[in-house]
């Protein structure tokens, strides 16, 4: 399954690279760096948030909580980047509507360089609200004990605290 997702992701990256190459050839004024960093901000911010929850906490974060947190982080970056407005204005003519959707005035204008941070902060804030289930914590402790006694750990280090 992981290989399948790797191939899918590689095909997705090739398609995006081809689209950017076409856009640059047909419209030389297109600046690719802001677009690439903007897209990275949508994806990497929420990923960074889940990573921070996992690395900086021991009793926070659960599968459902992380899923909800990533969803909230993605929605926050979509709103900050006005992607929802772009999509609505792109779909509106197909629905017989005027393409006049605009960002509400109370939502501040945010540069693309901040999108990743906004997504990460939202993910951490939402993810910290969810506790790691006791069954998961018990399984982690069992694996840690087994790793300390494993044959690939030198004899003089077996059973020491902090050895995994």
């Amino acid at each position: 399954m992981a290989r399948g997702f790797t191939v899918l992701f590689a095909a997705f990256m090739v398609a995006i690279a081809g689209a950017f190459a076409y856009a640059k050839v047909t419209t030389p004024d297109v600046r690719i760096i802001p677009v690439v960093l903007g897209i990275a901000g949508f994806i990497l911010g929420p990923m960074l948030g889940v990573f921070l929850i996992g690395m900086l906490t021991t009793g926070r974060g659960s599968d459902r909580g992380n899923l909800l947190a990533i969803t909230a982080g993605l929605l926050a970056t979509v709103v900050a980047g006005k992607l929802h407005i772009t999509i609505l204005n792109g779909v509106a003519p197909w629905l017989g509507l005027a393409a006049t959707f605009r960002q509400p005035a109370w939502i501040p204008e945010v540069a693309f360089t901040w999108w990743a941070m906004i997504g990460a902060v939202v993910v951490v804030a939402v993810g910290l609200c969810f506790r790691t289930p006791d069954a998961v914590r018990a399984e982690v402790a069992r694996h840690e004990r087994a790793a300390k006694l494993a044959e690939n750990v030198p004899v003089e280090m077996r059973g020491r605290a902090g050895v995994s």
Side-chain angles (χ1 to χ4, degrees), residues 58-117:
T58 57
R60 292 290 165 195
S62 66
D63 291 344
R64 288 184 182 155
N66 289 343
L67 184 62
L68 183 62
I70 289 172
T71 303
L74 285 172
L75 286 175
T77 55
V78 163
V79 170
K82 298 185 195 176
L83 185 60
H84 63 299
I85 302 297
T86 304
I87 292 171
L88 286 173
N89 284 330
V91 172
W94 293 356
L95 301 175
L97 302 171
T100 57
F101 293 97
R102 304 223 185 305
Q103 184 89 313
W106 56 270
I107 298 177
E109 185 82 22
V110 180
F112 72 90
T113 53
W114 292 96
W115 296 348
M117 189 194 81

Side-chain angles (χ1 to χ4, degrees), residues 131-154:
R131 189 169 175 267
T132 304
D134 291 333
V136 172
R137 294 180 73 170
E139 186 70 14
V140 168
R142 186 183 68 75
H143 281 292
E144 184 179 10
R145 283 190 304 274
K148 286 179 183 176
L149 300 174
E151 289 185 19
N152 60 348
V153 176

Side-chain angles (χ1 to χ4, degrees), residues 1 4 8 22 27-28 38-39 41 45 49-50 56 64 67 70 73 86 90 101 103 122 127 138 155 157 161:
M1 185 166 187
L8 181 67
Y22 177 78
T27 313
I39 291 171
V50 171
L56 302 177
R64 288 184 182 155
L67 184 62
I70 289 172
T86 304
F101 293 97
Q103 184 89 313
V122 169
V155 174
M157 295 183 75

